[in-house]
Amino acid sequence: MKTIFDNEARQELLGRLNKLTAESRPLWGKMSPAQMVKHLRLWEEMIHENILYSRPLIGRLIGPLILKKVLQTPEFRRNSPTIPQMLVTDTGIDLDGERSRLIALLNSYPQYNLPDYSFIHPFFGKMTRGQIGIMAHLHLDHHLKQFGV
């Protein structure tokens, strides 16, 4: 599986991200390009800043089991659920500004040094660096495919 920690894989994602325009239309879902990039930025901030969100009971019960399955699948399901804090519905978002903030976060992965299991995903629970790398790549790839880039 590809990982965000691999420079070549990360550069490929960044190239695709830079092809996104305000006129890009989703192949599924309701977000605009700017909303999607903000969503990705919020998700990356959660990882890099180790932001802890409350975990639903179902996530506590089966999250680690689902994580194993997700990490073995080449892509996310369309219209997968997300936590409320990552839902972006506001309008008037500056696409280029959000993209710049997201790119800075993605480019900081070579310096990511949190110990394994210190990051806790709101559904999947504690994750290793390896799991974060695969999940981050899958998440970015999923949303870039959503907009055909």
Side-chain angles (χ1 to χ4, degrees), residues 28 31 39 43 56 58 66 70 76-87 121-124 135 139 142-143:
W28 71 86
M31 289 189 286
H39 165 78
W43 200 88
I58 190 76
I66 302 295
V70 167
F76 284 174
R77 288 184 303 122
R78 292 182 178 191
N79 300 310
S80 295
T82 191
I83 63 169
Q85 295 88 341
M86 301 286 162
L87 292 174
H121 186 277
F123 184 81
F124 301 118
M135 181 66 75
H139 187 241
H142 169 77
H143 285 294

PDB file of all heavy atoms in Angstrom, residues 28 31 39 43 56 58 66 70 76-87 121-124 135 139 142-143:
ATOM      1  N   TRP A  28     -19.026  12.412  -7.192  1.00  0.00           N
ATOM      2  CA  TRP A  28     -19.986  12.009  -6.174  1.00  0.00           C
ATOM      3  C   TRP A  28     -19.863  12.987  -5.018  1.00  0.00           C
ATOM      4  O   TRP A  28     -18.901  13.736  -4.919  1.00  0.00           O
ATOM      5  CB  TRP A  28     -19.757  10.563  -5.702  1.00  0.00           C
ATOM      6  CG  TRP A  28     -18.531  10.361  -4.873  1.00  0.00           C
ATOM      7  CD1 TRP A  28     -18.402  10.515  -3.515  1.00  0.00           C
ATOM      8  CD2 TRP A  28     -17.231   9.962  -5.338  1.00  0.00           C
ATOM      9  NE1 TRP A  28     -17.126  10.245  -3.120  1.00  0.00           N
ATOM     10  CE2 TRP A  28     -16.387   9.895  -4.216  1.00  0.00           C
ATOM     11  CE3 TRP A  28     -16.711   9.637  -6.593  1.00  0.00           C
ATOM     12  CZ2 TRP A  28     -15.046   9.533  -4.304  1.00  0.00           C
ATOM     13  CZ3 TRP A  28     -15.383   9.281  -6.684  1.00  0.00           C
ATOM     14  CH2 TRP A  28     -14.562   9.230  -5.553  1.00  0.00           C
ATOM     15  N   MET A  31     -19.595  18.234  -1.763  1.00  0.00           N
ATOM     16  CA  MET A  31     -18.645  19.304  -1.507  1.00  0.00           C
ATOM     17  C   MET A  31     -18.175  19.979  -2.786  1.00  0.00           C
ATOM     18  O   MET A  31     -18.071  19.343  -3.833  1.00  0.00           O
ATOM     19  CB  MET A  31     -17.405  18.762  -0.778  1.00  0.00           C
ATOM     20  CG  MET A  31     -17.638  18.349   0.659  1.00  0.00           C
ATOM     21  SD  MET A  31     -16.104  17.964   1.530  1.00  0.00           S
ATOM     22  CE  MET A  31     -15.679  16.383   0.801  1.00  0.00           C
ATOM     23  N   HIS A  39     -11.669  20.328   4.022  1.00  0.00           N
ATOM     24  CA  HIS A  39     -11.874  19.064   4.731  1.00  0.00           C
ATOM     25  C   HIS A  39     -10.545  18.311   4.871  1.00  0.00           C
ATOM     26  O   HIS A  39     -10.202  17.834   5.949  1.00  0.00           O
ATOM     27  CB  HIS A  39     -12.900  18.205   3.989  1.00  0.00           C
ATOM     28  CG  HIS A  39     -12.945  16.782   4.409  1.00  0.00           C
ATOM     29  ND1 HIS A  39     -13.573  16.367   5.568  1.00  0.00           N
ATOM     30  CD2 HIS A  39     -12.419  15.664   3.835  1.00  0.00           C
ATOM     31  CE1 HIS A  39     -13.435  15.050   5.687  1.00  0.00           C
ATOM     32  NE2 HIS A  39     -12.744  14.602   4.640  1.00  0.00           N
ATOM     33  N   TRP A  43      -8.430  17.453   8.329  1.00  0.00           N
ATOM     34  CA  TRP A  43      -8.031  16.081   8.624  1.00  0.00           C
ATOM     35  C   TRP A  43      -6.530  16.012   8.888  1.00  0.00           C
ATOM     36  O   TRP A  43      -6.084  15.369   9.832  1.00  0.00           O
ATOM     37  CB  TRP A  43      -8.439  15.187   7.448  1.00  0.00           C
ATOM     38  CG  TRP A  43      -8.537  13.740   7.764  1.00  0.00           C
ATOM     39  CD1 TRP A  43      -9.636  13.083   8.236  1.00  0.00           C
ATOM     40  CD2 TRP A  43      -7.505  12.751   7.631  1.00  0.00           C
ATOM     41  NE1 TRP A  43      -9.349  11.741   8.384  1.00  0.00           N
ATOM     42  CE2 TRP A  43      -8.043  11.520   8.031  1.00  0.00           C
ATOM     43  CE3 TRP A  43      -6.179  12.797   7.224  1.00  0.00           C
ATOM     44  CZ2 TRP A  43      -7.310  10.344   8.025  1.00  0.00           C
ATOM     45  CZ3 TRP A  43      -5.445  11.633   7.219  1.00  0.00           C
ATOM     46  CH2 TRP A  43      -6.012  10.422   7.615  1.00  0.00           C
ATOM     47  N   PRO A  56     -17.140   7.809  19.133  1.00  0.00           N
ATOM     48  CA  PRO A  56     -18.434   7.160  19.331  1.00  0.00           C
ATOM     49  C   PRO A  56     -18.237   5.738  19.861  1.00  0.00           C
ATOM     50  O   PRO A  56     -17.195   5.109  19.627  1.00  0.00           O
ATOM     51  CB  PRO A  56     -19.051   7.144  17.937  1.00  0.00           C
ATOM     52  CG  PRO A  56     -17.891   7.221  16.998  1.00  0.00           C
ATOM     53  CD  PRO A  56     -16.828   8.003  17.722  1.00  0.00           C
ATOM     54  N   ILE A  58     -19.512   2.971  18.920  1.00  0.00           N
ATOM     55  CA  ILE A  58     -19.313   1.980  17.869  1.00  0.00           C
ATOM     56  C   ILE A  58     -17.851   1.962  17.421  1.00  0.00           C
ATOM     57  O   ILE A  58     -17.289   0.908  17.138  1.00  0.00           O
ATOM     58  CB  ILE A  58     -20.294   2.192  16.677  1.00  0.00           C
ATOM     59  CG1 ILE A  58     -20.251   1.017  15.715  1.00  0.00           C
ATOM     60  CG2 ILE A  58     -20.000   3.477  15.955  1.00  0.00           C
ATOM     61  CD1 ILE A  58     -20.954  -0.206  16.185  1.00  0.00           C
ATOM     62  N   ILE A  66     -12.190  -2.517  11.910  1.00  0.00           N
ATOM     63  CA  ILE A  66     -12.485  -1.881  10.630  1.00  0.00           C
ATOM     64  C   ILE A  66     -11.205  -1.269  10.055  1.00  0.00           C
ATOM     65  O   ILE A  66     -10.982  -1.311   8.845  1.00  0.00           O
ATOM     66  CB  ILE A  66     -13.590  -0.814  10.787  1.00  0.00           C
ATOM     67  CG1 ILE A  66     -14.874  -1.425  11.348  1.00  0.00           C
ATOM     68  CG2 ILE A  66     -13.849  -0.094   9.471  1.00  0.00           C
ATOM     69  CD1 ILE A  66     -15.545  -2.431  10.463  1.00  0.00           C
ATOM     70  N   VAL A  70      -9.804  -1.519   6.261  1.00  0.00           N
ATOM     71  CA  VAL A  70      -9.621  -0.313   5.453  1.00  0.00           C
ATOM     72  C   VAL A  70      -8.191  -0.229   4.924  1.00  0.00           C
ATOM     73  O   VAL A  70      -7.962   0.116   3.763  1.00  0.00           O
ATOM     74  CB  VAL A  70      -9.978   0.952   6.262  1.00  0.00           C
ATOM     75  CG1 VAL A  70      -9.511   2.217   5.567  1.00  0.00           C
ATOM     76  CG2 VAL A  70     -11.477   1.014   6.526  1.00  0.00           C
ATOM     77  N   PHE A  76     -11.183   4.056  -0.493  1.00  0.00           N
ATOM     78  CA  PHE A  76     -12.337   4.228   0.394  1.00  0.00           C
ATOM     79  C   PHE A  76     -13.637   4.062  -0.382  1.00  0.00           C
ATOM     80  O   PHE A  76     -13.689   4.317  -1.582  1.00  0.00           O
ATOM     81  CB  PHE A  76     -12.357   5.645   0.979  1.00  0.00           C
ATOM     82  CG  PHE A  76     -11.373   5.915   2.072  1.00  0.00           C
ATOM     83  CD1 PHE A  76     -11.238   7.193   2.570  1.00  0.00           C
ATOM     84  CD2 PHE A  76     -10.578   4.934   2.616  1.00  0.00           C
ATOM     85  CE1 PHE A  76     -10.350   7.486   3.575  1.00  0.00           C
ATOM     86  CE2 PHE A  76      -9.683   5.205   3.623  1.00  0.00           C
ATOM     87  CZ  PHE A  76      -9.574   6.485   4.104  1.00  0.00           C
ATOM     88  N   ARG A  77     -14.671   3.686   0.349  1.00  0.00           N
ATOM     89  CA  ARG A  77     -16.019   3.661  -0.232  1.00  0.00           C
ATOM     90  C   ARG A  77     -16.475   5.093  -0.496  1.00  0.00           C
ATOM     91  O   ARG A  77     -16.125   6.009   0.253  1.00  0.00           O
ATOM     92  CB  ARG A  77     -17.035   3.063   0.749  1.00  0.00           C
ATOM     93  CG  ARG A  77     -16.947   1.598   0.980  1.00  0.00           C
ATOM     94  CD  ARG A  77     -18.071   1.098   1.903  1.00  0.00           C
ATOM     95  NE  ARG A  77     -18.086   1.771   3.203  1.00  0.00           N
ATOM     96  CZ  ARG A  77     -19.118   2.449   3.696  1.00  0.00           C
ATOM     97  NH1 ARG A  77     -20.239   2.552   3.030  1.00  0.00           N
ATOM     98  NH2 ARG A  77     -19.055   3.013   4.871  1.00  0.00           N
ATOM     99  N   ARG A  78     -17.261   5.288  -1.535  1.00  0.00           N
ATOM    100  CA  ARG A  78     -17.846   6.596  -1.791  1.00  0.00           C
ATOM    101  C   ARG A  78     -18.841   6.924  -0.688  1.00  0.00           C
ATOM    102  O   ARG A  78     -19.514   6.045  -0.164  1.00  0.00           O
ATOM    103  CB  ARG A  78     -18.554   6.612  -3.138  1.00  0.00           C
ATOM    104  CG  ARG A  78     -17.606   6.500  -4.288  1.00  0.00           C
ATOM    105  CD  ARG A  78     -18.330   6.558  -5.599  1.00  0.00           C
ATOM    106  NE  ARG A  78     -17.363   6.484  -6.684  1.00  0.00           N
ATOM    107  CZ  ARG A  78     -17.649   6.707  -7.935  1.00  0.00           C
ATOM    108  NH1 ARG A  78     -18.882   6.992  -8.283  1.00  0.00           N
ATOM    109  NH2 ARG A  78     -16.717   6.623  -8.859  1.00  0.00           N
ATOM    110  N   ASN A  79     -18.921   8.205  -0.365  1.00  0.00           N
ATOM    111  CA  ASN A  79     -19.853   8.712   0.644  1.00  0.00           C
ATOM    112  C   ASN A  79     -19.655   8.058   2.011  1.00  0.00           C
ATOM    113  O   ASN A  79     -20.616   7.827   2.741  1.00  0.00           O
ATOM    114  CB  ASN A  79     -21.299   8.576   0.161  1.00  0.00           C
ATOM    115  CG  ASN A  79     -21.552   9.349  -1.116  1.00  0.00           C
ATOM    116  OD1 ASN A  79     -21.222  10.523  -1.210  1.00  0.00           O
ATOM    117  ND2 ASN A  79     -22.101   8.676  -2.107  1.00  0.00           N
ATOM    118  N   SER A  80     -18.407   7.761   2.344  1.00  0.00           N
ATOM    119  CA  SER A  80     -18.103   7.220   3.668  1.00  0.00           C
ATOM    120  C   SER A  80     -18.424   8.274   4.727  1.00  0.00           C
ATOM    121  O   SER A  80     -18.281   9.474   4.473  1.00  0.00           O
ATOM    122  CB  SER A  80     -16.623   6.843   3.759  1.00  0.00           C
ATOM    123  OG  SER A  80     -16.313   5.798   2.878  1.00  0.00           O
ATOM    124  N   PRO A  81     -18.841   7.844   5.909  1.00  0.00           N
ATOM    125  CA  PRO A  81     -19.178   8.826   6.945  1.00  0.00           C
ATOM    126  C   PRO A  81     -17.936   9.549   7.455  1.00  0.00           C
ATOM    127  O   PRO A  81     -16.813   9.045   7.356  1.00  0.00           O
ATOM    128  CB  PRO A  81     -19.805   7.966   8.046  1.00  0.00           C
ATOM    129  CG  PRO A  81     -19.277   6.590   7.816  1.00  0.00           C
ATOM    130  CD  PRO A  81     -19.028   6.466   6.349  1.00  0.00           C
ATOM    131  N   THR A  82     -18.150  10.728   7.986  1.00  0.00           N
ATOM    132  CA  THR A  82     -17.076  11.504   8.597  1.00  0.00           C
ATOM    133  C   THR A  82     -17.574  12.085   9.906  1.00  0.00           C
ATOM    134  O   THR A  82     -18.779  12.166  10.138  1.00  0.00           O
ATOM    135  CB  THR A  82     -16.581  12.614   7.643  1.00  0.00           C
ATOM    136  OG1 THR A  82     -15.382  13.186   8.159  1.00  0.00           O
ATOM    137  CG2 THR A  82     -17.611  13.695   7.445  1.00  0.00           C
ATOM    138  N   ILE A  83     -16.646  12.482  10.754  1.00  0.00           N
ATOM    139  CA  ILE A  83     -17.051  13.058  12.036  1.00  0.00           C
ATOM    140  C   ILE A  83     -17.563  14.480  11.804  1.00  0.00           C
ATOM    141  O   ILE A  83     -17.146  15.148  10.846  1.00  0.00           O
ATOM    142  CB  ILE A  83     -15.909  13.036  13.072  1.00  0.00           C
ATOM    143  CG1 ILE A  83     -14.725  13.899  12.616  1.00  0.00           C
ATOM    144  CG2 ILE A  83     -15.475  11.612  13.354  1.00  0.00           C
ATOM    145  CD1 ILE A  83     -13.692  14.128  13.696  1.00  0.00           C
ATOM    146  N   PRO A  84     -18.451  14.965  12.650  1.00  0.00           N
ATOM    147  CA  PRO A  84     -19.039  16.293  12.456  1.00  0.00           C
ATOM    148  C   PRO A  84     -18.007  17.413  12.326  1.00  0.00           C
ATOM    149  O   PRO A  84     -18.209  18.354  11.555  1.00  0.00           O
ATOM    150  CB  PRO A  84     -19.913  16.489  13.699  1.00  0.00           C
ATOM    151  CG  PRO A  84     -20.217  15.107  14.178  1.00  0.00           C
ATOM    152  CD  PRO A  84     -19.024  14.268  13.805  1.00  0.00           C
ATOM    153  N   GLN A  85     -16.904  17.320  13.051  1.00  0.00           N
ATOM    154  CA  GLN A  85     -15.891  18.372  13.019  1.00  0.00           C
ATOM    155  C   GLN A  85     -15.196  18.477  11.666  1.00  0.00           C
ATOM    156  O   GLN A  85     -14.543  19.479  11.374  1.00  0.00           O
ATOM    157  CB  GLN A  85     -14.838  18.150  14.111  1.00  0.00           C
ATOM    158  CG  GLN A  85     -15.385  18.252  15.507  1.00  0.00           C
ATOM    159  CD  GLN A  85     -15.936  16.925  16.036  1.00  0.00           C
ATOM    160  OE1 GLN A  85     -16.235  15.993  15.289  1.00  0.00           O
ATOM    161  NE2 GLN A  85     -16.089  16.836  17.346  1.00  0.00           N
ATOM    162  N   MET A  86     -15.310  17.451  10.840  1.00  0.00           N
ATOM    163  CA  MET A  86     -14.664  17.448   9.522  1.00  0.00           C
ATOM    164  C   MET A  86     -15.646  17.745   8.390  1.00  0.00           C
ATOM    165  O   MET A  86     -15.248  17.811   7.236  1.00  0.00           O
ATOM    166  CB  MET A  86     -14.007  16.093   9.244  1.00  0.00           C
ATOM    167  CG  MET A  86     -12.965  15.687  10.233  1.00  0.00           C
ATOM    168  SD  MET A  86     -11.463  16.622  10.020  1.00  0.00           S
ATOM    169  CE  MET A  86     -10.686  16.315  11.586  1.00  0.00           C
ATOM    170  N   LEU A  87     -16.922  17.906   8.719  1.00  0.00           N
ATOM    171  CA  LEU A  87     -17.915  18.256   7.700  1.00  0.00           C
ATOM    172  C   LEU A  87     -17.774  19.733   7.378  1.00  0.00           C
ATOM    173  O   LEU A  87     -17.821  20.572   8.277  1.00  0.00           O
ATOM    174  CB  LEU A  87     -19.329  17.964   8.197  1.00  0.00           C
ATOM    175  CG  LEU A  87     -19.697  16.498   8.380  1.00  0.00           C
ATOM    176  CD1 LEU A  87     -21.075  16.377   9.017  1.00  0.00           C
ATOM    177  CD2 LEU A  87     -19.654  15.758   7.057  1.00  0.00           C
ATOM    178  N   HIS A 121      -7.366   8.228  16.219  1.00  0.00           N
ATOM    179  CA  HIS A 121      -8.377   8.575  15.223  1.00  0.00           C
ATOM    180  C   HIS A 121      -9.752   8.532  15.889  1.00  0.00           C
ATOM    181  O   HIS A 121     -10.006   7.662  16.729  1.00  0.00           O
ATOM    182  CB  HIS A 121      -8.304   7.575  14.053  1.00  0.00           C
ATOM    183  CG  HIS A 121      -9.186   7.910  12.924  1.00  0.00           C
ATOM    184  ND1 HIS A 121     -10.522   7.586  12.900  1.00  0.00           N
ATOM    185  CD2 HIS A 121      -8.924   8.565  11.759  1.00  0.00           C
ATOM    186  CE1 HIS A 121     -11.054   8.020  11.765  1.00  0.00           C
ATOM    187  NE2 HIS A 121     -10.108   8.610  11.056  1.00  0.00           N
ATOM    188  N   PRO A 122     -10.656   9.452  15.535  1.00  0.00           N
ATOM    189  CA  PRO A 122     -11.963   9.492  16.199  1.00  0.00           C
ATOM    190  C   PRO A 122     -12.832   8.246  16.019  1.00  0.00           C
ATOM    191  O   PRO A 122     -13.729   8.017  16.807  1.00  0.00           O
ATOM    192  CB  PRO A 122     -12.655  10.707  15.591  1.00  0.00           C
ATOM    193  CG  PRO A 122     -11.701  11.342  14.674  1.00  0.00           C
ATOM    194  CD  PRO A 122     -10.462  10.535  14.602  1.00  0.00           C
ATOM    195  N   PHE A 123     -12.569   7.448  14.995  1.00  0.00           N
ATOM    196  CA  PHE A 123     -13.326   6.210  14.838  1.00  0.00           C
ATOM    197  C   PHE A 123     -12.436   4.992  15.029  1.00  0.00           C
ATOM    198  O   PHE A 123     -12.788   4.068  15.762  1.00  0.00           O
ATOM    199  CB  PHE A 123     -14.004   6.129  13.460  1.00  0.00           C
ATOM    200  CG  PHE A 123     -14.864   4.907  13.301  1.00  0.00           C
ATOM    201  CD1 PHE A 123     -16.146   4.875  13.820  1.00  0.00           C
ATOM    202  CD2 PHE A 123     -14.383   3.773  12.655  1.00  0.00           C
ATOM    203  CE1 PHE A 123     -16.936   3.735  13.703  1.00  0.00           C
ATOM    204  CE2 PHE A 123     -15.167   2.641  12.527  1.00  0.00           C
ATOM    205  CZ  PHE A 123     -16.448   2.616  13.050  1.00  0.00           C
ATOM    206  N   PHE A 124     -11.278   4.966  14.389  1.00  0.00           N
ATOM    207  CA  PHE A 124     -10.425   3.780  14.377  1.00  0.00           C
ATOM    208  C   PHE A 124      -9.597   3.595  15.643  1.00  0.00           C
ATOM    209  O   PHE A 124      -9.107   2.515  15.904  1.00  0.00           O
ATOM    210  CB  PHE A 124      -9.496   3.807  13.163  1.00  0.00           C
ATOM    211  CG  PHE A 124     -10.234   3.847  11.864  1.00  0.00           C
ATOM    212  CD1 PHE A 124     -10.086   4.915  10.997  1.00  0.00           C
ATOM    213  CD2 PHE A 124     -11.097   2.824  11.499  1.00  0.00           C
ATOM    214  CE1 PHE A 124     -10.770   4.954   9.782  1.00  0.00           C
ATOM    215  CE2 PHE A 124     -11.787   2.851  10.301  1.00  0.00           C
ATOM    216  CZ  PHE A 124     -11.623   3.926   9.441  1.00  0.00           C
ATOM    217  N   MET A 135      -3.303   5.490   5.753  1.00  0.00           N
ATOM    218  CA  MET A 135      -4.612   6.128   5.856  1.00  0.00           C
ATOM    219  C   MET A 135      -4.594   7.523   5.239  1.00  0.00           C
ATOM    220  O   MET A 135      -5.534   7.905   4.517  1.00  0.00           O
ATOM    221  CB  MET A 135      -5.058   6.208   7.313  1.00  0.00           C
ATOM    222  CG  MET A 135      -6.425   6.827   7.496  1.00  0.00           C
ATOM    223  SD  MET A 135      -7.762   5.849   6.802  1.00  0.00           S
ATOM    224  CE  MET A 135      -7.855   4.579   8.024  1.00  0.00           C
ATOM    225  N   HIS A 139      -6.926   8.599   2.124  1.00  0.00           N
ATOM    226  CA  HIS A 139      -7.890   9.683   2.293  1.00  0.00           C
ATOM    227  C   HIS A 139      -7.700  10.752   1.218  1.00  0.00           C
ATOM    228  O   HIS A 139      -8.663  11.182   0.574  1.00  0.00           O
ATOM    229  CB  HIS A 139      -7.751  10.279   3.700  1.00  0.00           C
ATOM    230  CG  HIS A 139      -8.800  11.282   4.022  1.00  0.00           C
ATOM    231  ND1 HIS A 139      -8.501  12.590   4.315  1.00  0.00           N
ATOM    232  CD2 HIS A 139     -10.149  11.183   4.100  1.00  0.00           C
ATOM    233  CE1 HIS A 139      -9.619  13.248   4.564  1.00  0.00           C
ATOM    234  NE2 HIS A 139     -10.635  12.412   4.436  1.00  0.00           N
ATOM    235  N   HIS A 142      -8.676   9.337  -2.233  1.00  0.00           N
ATOM    236  CA  HIS A 142     -10.139   9.229  -2.326  1.00  0.00           C
ATOM    237  C   HIS A 142     -10.763  10.554  -2.754  1.00  0.00           C
ATOM    238  O   HIS A 142     -11.574  10.600  -3.680  1.00  0.00           O
ATOM    239  CB  HIS A 142     -10.687   8.787  -0.963  1.00  0.00           C
ATOM    240  CG  HIS A 142     -12.167   8.877  -0.828  1.00  0.00           C
ATOM    241  ND1 HIS A 142     -13.030   7.966  -1.388  1.00  0.00           N
ATOM    242  CD2 HIS A 142     -12.942   9.788  -0.184  1.00  0.00           C
ATOM    243  CE1 HIS A 142     -14.277   8.298  -1.088  1.00  0.00           C
ATOM    244  NE2 HIS A 142     -14.255   9.398  -0.369  1.00  0.00           N
ATOM    245  N   HIS A 143     -10.384  11.637  -2.081  1.00  0.00           N
ATOM    246  CA  HIS A 143     -11.002  12.931  -2.388  1.00  0.00           C
ATOM    247  C   HIS A 143     -10.494  13.518  -3.697  1.00  0.00           C
ATOM    248  O   HIS A 143     -11.249  14.222  -4.380  1.00  0.00           O
ATOM    249  CB  HIS A 143     -10.833  13.888  -1.223  1.00  0.00           C
ATOM    250  CG  HIS A 143     -11.750  13.568  -0.079  1.00  0.00           C
ATOM    251  ND1 HIS A 143     -13.121  13.674  -0.183  1.00  0.00           N
ATOM    252  CD2 HIS A 143     -11.490  13.094   1.160  1.00  0.00           C
ATOM    253  CE1 HIS A 143     -13.676  13.302   0.960  1.00  0.00           C
ATOM    254  NE2 HIS A 143     -12.714  12.945   1.795  1.00  0.00           N
TER     255      HIS A 143
END
